[in-house]
Each structure stands twice: as C-alpha cells, then as structure tokens.
Amino acid sequence: MRNLLFLLLIVTLGFISCEGRITKNQALVEDIEEFKKTVSIQVDIYKPENYTEHQVDTTLSNGFRVKIKAYTDMDNSVLFTKIKDTINYQTYYRNFKFDILVEKNSKVIYDKSFDKQKANKAFKFNPNLVKGSEFYNFDKLAILNAIQVDDDPSYTNTVVIDVVYAIPETDKVSHLKILINDKGKANFIQTENY
C-alpha cells in the first residue's frame, strides 16, 4: 500500500510540474516567425529599369517597306512578388507598345499603334479562361517579348511580322503572326502556344 501511495505521489508531482512550458528551441522558432511577420523590407525592381525603344526600318525584296517601333509603356506593368526572409521583392515588368507602318511603292498602306489592350483584342487573348487552365490570365500577365519582320522571300504580296508574348518568370509563351497584304488588310493569328 505504501508503494502504491508513493507511486501515486510521484505521478501527481509529475503532472503538477508540467506547466506546458515550451523549450528554448521552440521559443526561438516562434520568435523568428513573429519577427518575419512584423519586419518587412520592400524592394521594388523595374524591368526594364528605364525607357527603352527599338526601331526597325527595312525594305523587303517584295517591294514593301516596314517600320516597327517598340517602346516601353512607362504607365503599365505586370507585378510579381516574392517574399524571401523578411524582404518583399516586387518586380514590375513593364508592358510595351508598338507601332507598325507598312508602305508599298512609297504609299502608306498600313499604319497602326498597339498597346496591351489593343494587342489583346487583335490576337484574341481570352480574358474568360477558367482558373487553373493553361493560359489563365495570359491577357493580363503576358508582356511583349519580341517583334520582328519575317523576311522569308516566299511571301510575295504579304508582309509577315512575328510577335512573341510571354508571362515573365514562367514558361508560358505565345507565338503570333501579323500578316498584312498589299491592300493594307491585316490578319492576326496565333501560331504556337506553350
């Protein structure tokens, strides 16, 4: 009986002495997590950092003269954020505008300017895709990656301009073509998406 009473006393003392204290390691981990939540440094990164402009002025063997001007839209950008440790990296990828002027026999047959909204409409980027689909938000997140004249000599009565839109920090890319005939009528087609 004495042994049982002694065992009961030890078990009672064991339960009473457990106050739910946390270890030093647990306290340190909690303090670090709390610190990360309260202290945050924000770093803004702009790509490109400054205004950028690229011009192409070329005369093709089929008699067309093509001028393309692509330039930074300083007012519109796509924001991507990453938090690493206590630093909030906010990267602003600036959209681009582009102008296309096509002449045939020294006569202007096509002269258009495109910003993000006009390009979305012309290339029919769908704003109503279901979340989780492959190109969800492509119309909002994609930026102009490249634009160039296709100088293939097999195009006799047509100017072909290759355009590439891509979502930064991903592998989502859309290859497009603008076909402009000798009457100045343009046709916008998507050739490849991945």
Side-chain angles (χ1 to χ4, degrees):
M1 177 81 161
R2 256 177 114 175
N3 288 341
L4 186 60
L5 189 58
F6 181 71
L7 181 63
L8 184 62
L9 180 64
I10 290 177
V11 171
T12 306
L13 284 175
F15 281 121
I16 293 174
S17 65
C18 279
E19 298 172 12
R21 288 187 238 163
I22 59 174
T23 66
K24 288 182 182 181
N25 282 343
Q26 290 172 329
L28 182 60
V29 168
E30 288 177 7
D31 288 344
I32 290 172
E33 291 301 317
E34 187 65 32
F35 176 76
K36 285 182 180 181
K37 290 177 186 174
T38 58
V39 177
S40 180
I41 299 169
Q42 182 172 316
V43 176
D44 292 338
I45 304 164
Y46 291 89
K47 292 187 180 183
E49 191 172 321
N50 299 313
Y51 178 81
T52 304
E53 184 175 295
H54 179 73
Q55 293 186 21
V56 173
D57 186 352
T58 187
T59 303
L60 301 173
S61 61
N62 57 11
F64 287 97
R65 181 176 182 190
V66 181
K67 294 180 183 180
I68 300 173
K69 178 180 167 184
Y71 49 98
T72 312
D73 185 350
M74 299 299 282
D75 297 326
N76 294 305
S77 59
V78 177
L79 173 64
F80 285 85
T81 59
K82 286 184 193 171
I83 297 175
K84 184 176 180 183
D85 298 327
T86 61
I87 301 173
N88 181 6
Y89 295 96
Q90 295 196 341
T91 306
Y92 294 88
Y93 291 92
R94 298 187 200 267
N95 286 312
F96 286 85
K97 295 180 180 181
F98 59 95
D99 304 332
I100 300 173
L101 178 105
V102 179
E103 297 177 352
K104 177 75 173 186
N105 301 324
S106 300
K107 180 183 172 191
V108 175
I109 61 170
Y110 188 82
D111 186 9
K112 298 279 184 191
S113 295
F114 294 89
D115 60 6
K116 177 77 168 163
Q117 288 73 30
K118 286 181 183 177
N120 281 344
K121 186 175 180 182
F123 291 116
K124 298 180 177 90
F125 289 134
N126 190 350
N128 299 320
L129 292 176
V130 178
K131 188 174 184 172
S133 64
E134 187 178 3
F135 282 90
Y136 176 72
N137 273 349
F138 195 81
D139 61 313
K140 294 179 186 88
L141 300 177
I143 62 170
L144 181 67
N145 207 19
I147 184 167
Q148 65 185 15
V149 178
D150 188 341
D151 58 357
D152 186 346
S154 66
Y155 300 119
T156 55
N157 292 326
T158 306
V159 170
V160 178
I161 299 171
D162 295 320
V163 180
V164 177
Y165 271 89
I167 297 177
E169 301 180 13
T170 70
D171 296 335
K172 293 187 178 13
V173 178
S174 182
H175 290 269
L176 312 140
K177 287 191 182 291
I178 303 172
L179 296 105
I180 303 168
N181 67 17
D182 57 356
K183 306 278 190 271
K185 179 161 176 31
N187 191 12
F188 300 84
I189 58 172
Q190 291 186 15
T191 57
E192 185 177 17
N193 294 324
Y194 55 87

